[in-house]
Amino acid sequence: RLYIACVSPPGSSRLDWYFFCGGYLVAADGPYGKHDLSPLAQITKDRIMEFNAWDGLDEYEETMRELVTEMLCAVQPRLAPPTSQACFELFGVDLAMTEEGEMWII
């Protein structure tokens, strides 16, 4: 899970977002199948690590940022922050990744 702070400065409808990579990475120990209920195929809380400690962060961070930026650009017109005052919103974004490194926002 990545955490994003979306901030609108006072007097502006502009939105700035900031990524916080101190979230958590949770992984299954085995291959995932929709109908596989075995413990190794499930994503559970006993397999959590801090996102910053993940060995793949350098390799995949740019892809994750691109996906999240694309999502935020798509929803930005619907957010409509008030222009009379500053405001912010916090988002948690979950991503899924295959063994081949393909990623999707869940």
Side-chain angles (χ1 to χ4, degrees):
R1 172 165 281 186
L2 295 174
Y3 295 100
I4 291 100
C6 188
V7 179
S8 177
S12 173
S13 61
R14 184 183 86 238
L15 294 173
D16 299 321
W17 39 75
Y18 303 91
F19 292 82
F20 173 69
C21 291
Y24 294 95
L25 177 71
V26 183
D29 281 343
Y32 174 76
K34 287 193 289 190
H35 305 291
D36 186 356
L37 299 178
S38 67
L40 292 179
Q42 302 302 309
I43 297 171
T44 62
K45 291 190 176 195
D46 64 338
R47 296 185 192 101
I48 292 178
M49 74 165 63
E50 286 190 30
F51 194 71
N52 288 335
W54 178 40
D55 291 339
L57 181 61
D58 291 338
E59 183 178 352
Y60 294 106
E61 183 176 10
E62 184 177 339
T63 302
M64 290 184 281
R65 287 180 181 273
E66 288 172 3
L67 283 171
V68 172
T69 298
E70 184 178 320
M71 177 198 69
L72 292 169
C73 286
V75 300
Q76 184 171 351
R78 300 191 69 162
L79 296 178
T83 56
S84 60
Q85 58 188 3
C87 65
F88 71 94
E89 184 86 28
L90 298 176
F91 295 97
V93 179
D94 293 324
L95 299 161
M97 185 170 86
T98 65
E99 286 183 23
E100 294 80 26
E102 295 177 90
M103 284 190 208
W104 297 275
I105 292 177
I106 306 177

